[in-house]
Amino acid sequence: NEAIVPAARVNVLGTLEAAQAARDAGARFVLISSDKAAEPRSVMGATKRMAEMVALSVGGRMFRPVAVRFGNILGSSGSVVEIMLRCVERERPVPVTDPDATRFFMTGEEAASLVMKAAQ
């Protein structure tokens, strides 16, 4: 799959380099991950999960990296809301993976607030 190498470079190796740089500079590090990392079923989910593990592995007594997982952020590109709206506009069926699933949404402000709280 063509997507595997670029995703691994960005999500895994990029996270490793950024976390190491933050550690070396004495900075805080907050990794913004994805709810897809919880039970990875895609390249994106698997590489995000590996990124979390890599970021946390760089930590120690003096450097404590943090990872936050976001699901559906209202107004963000690629969110389930955007996909559903596009289906409605095109008069196509709205995909529902599991009728019993509960979806959670947050605003951009809530997401930013979560990152700031995690960085404390």
Side-chain angles (χ1 to χ4, degrees):
N1 187 332
E2 301 176 8
I4 295 171
V5 172
R9 275 193 187 127
V10 171
N11 291 337
V12 181
L13 299 178
T15 297
L16 176 61
E17 289 193 26
Q20 288 172 332
R23 180 196 60 206
D24 296 346
R28 294 182 182 131
F29 185 82
V30 179
L31 173 67
I32 298 174
S33 189
S34 166
D35 60 345
K36 291 172 178 50
E39 292 183 33
R41 292 192 175 112
S42 65
V43 170
M44 192 252 211
T47 57
K48 284 292 199 174
R49 178 65 185 126
M50 286 191 286
E52 292 173 359
M53 295 187 313
V54 162
L56 299 177
S57 75
V58 174
R61 205 169 56 81
M62 300 300 288
F63 178 67
R64 307 207 39 109
V66 176
V68 295
R69 288 181 179 163
F70 291 154
N72 296 299
I73 300 175
L74 296 172
S76 66
S77 65
S79 78
V80 70
V81 174
E82 182 181 285
I83 294 166
M84 290 176 171
L85 283 173
R86 205 172 321 132
C87 289
V88 170
E89 288 168 356
R90 295 177 182 164
E91 297 180 1
R92 294 199 171 141
V94 175
V96 176
T97 53
D98 184 341
D100 295 327
T102 300
R103 292 206 177 258
F104 297 93
F105 300 92
M106 63 182 1
T107 65
E109 280 184 8
E110 290 169 326
S113 177
L114 177 59
V115 171
M116 298 305 290
K117 286 178 185 172
Q120 295 176 349

